[in-house]
Amino acid sequence: MPTLKARRPSQDPDLNLERDAIALHAALSNLVRVYQFRDRDQICCYDISVTQCYALETLVEQGPMRSKSLSDALKLDKSTTTRVVDALVRKDYVARLPDADDARAVSLKVTASGRRLYERINGALIAQQADLLRGLEPGVRAAATEVIRRLAKAAEARFVSGVSVGSCESACAAGSKSKTTCS
């Protein structure tokens, strides 16, 4: 990963953008890494995986849906989603019910115990966020949240449009020599 030297503004806007992109990449990489470990440590003590928790959260927030819609929301393939849902059904956190629009289809719905579990996990994670924000001024808290929201929305739009997914030909063309990243 490139390192940053003293951040002096340049007359070249592309150079400033490159420096800002490097700094953002480093900051987000660190934040995501910390949150992945935090989520794993916090969520797994409830006897579900992080992915199962994301599925539960999606069903709580968006309501009953078919497995295909859940796969799309989680950005998972169908077989992985099926395994995630199977585990949640076994633990009685999710139920498979006849779909209201198509009698041949099945809809996934959070059970009462699944909703209680989600509320416990979500409450604990929100309490951690409050601890993180406690020392920041209200304006800084609001601005940080808005920046993260905008970055997430822009990243999601790129993902949905296929810009940040698919083959890694552009990375390989840019000089990556690794067979594992460029095959």
Side-chain angles (χ1 to χ4, degrees):
M1 182 176 346
T3 58
L4 291 175
K5 295 185 180 178
R7 286 201 51 157
R8 281 182 249 138
S10 168
Q11 300 298 65
D12 181 357
D14 289 337
L15 183 58
N16 288 333
L17 179 62
E18 177 75 14
R19 286 181 183 164
D20 291 343
I22 291 168
L24 177 63
H25 175 74
L28 284 177
S29 292
N30 189 44
L31 181 66
V32 167
R33 192 173 15 265
V34 168
Y35 269 69
Q36 284 175 333
F37 289 120
R38 179 212 66 167
D39 287 354
R40 183 201 64 207
D41 292 346
Q42 275 289 314
I43 293 167
C44 292
C45 70
Y46 291 97
D47 193 33
I48 65 171
S49 71
V50 172
T51 305
Q52 290 167 2
C53 187
Y54 291 154
L56 193 61
E57 176 182 54
T58 301
L59 291 169
V60 167
E61 293 180 357
Q62 296 182 24
M65 65 180 66
R66 294 181 187 174
S67 185
K68 171 73 169 105
S69 296
L70 182 61
S71 292
D72 293 345
L74 296 174
K75 314 274 186 287
L76 296 174
D77 61 47
K78 184 180 174 185
S79 64
T80 301
T81 302
T82 298
R83 285 191 301 275
V84 168
V85 170
D86 286 347
L88 291 170
V89 168
R90 273 193 311 276
K91 295 173 184 182
D92 192 38
Y93 297 136
V94 170
R96 287 185 173 101
L97 303 170
D99 189 79
D101 298 327
D102 183 349
R104 299 167 298 165
V106 172
S107 188
L108 305 170
K109 183 179 179 187
V110 174
T111 63
S113 61
R115 186 170 298 281
R116 285 190 302 273
L117 176 64
Y118 166 77
E119 288 170 0
R120 279 197 316 270
I121 293 170
N122 202 43
L125 295 175
I126 289 172
Q128 285 185 357
Q129 302 302 1
D131 288 342
L132 290 174
L133 294 173
R134 197 172 315 287
L136 301 175
E137 297 291 323
V140 172
R141 294 191 309 247
T145 300
E146 182 60 22
V147 167
I148 293 170
R149 186 179 291 121
R150 286 183 185 188
L151 289 171
K153 186 176 180 179
E156 174 77 9
R158 289 177 58 87
F159 185 88
V160 168
S161 71
V163 171
S164 62
V165 296
S167 71
C168 58
E169 292 174 15
S170 61
C172 295
S176 177
K177 303 291 186 219
S178 170
K179 293 279 187 200
T180 58
T181 58
C182 295
S183 50

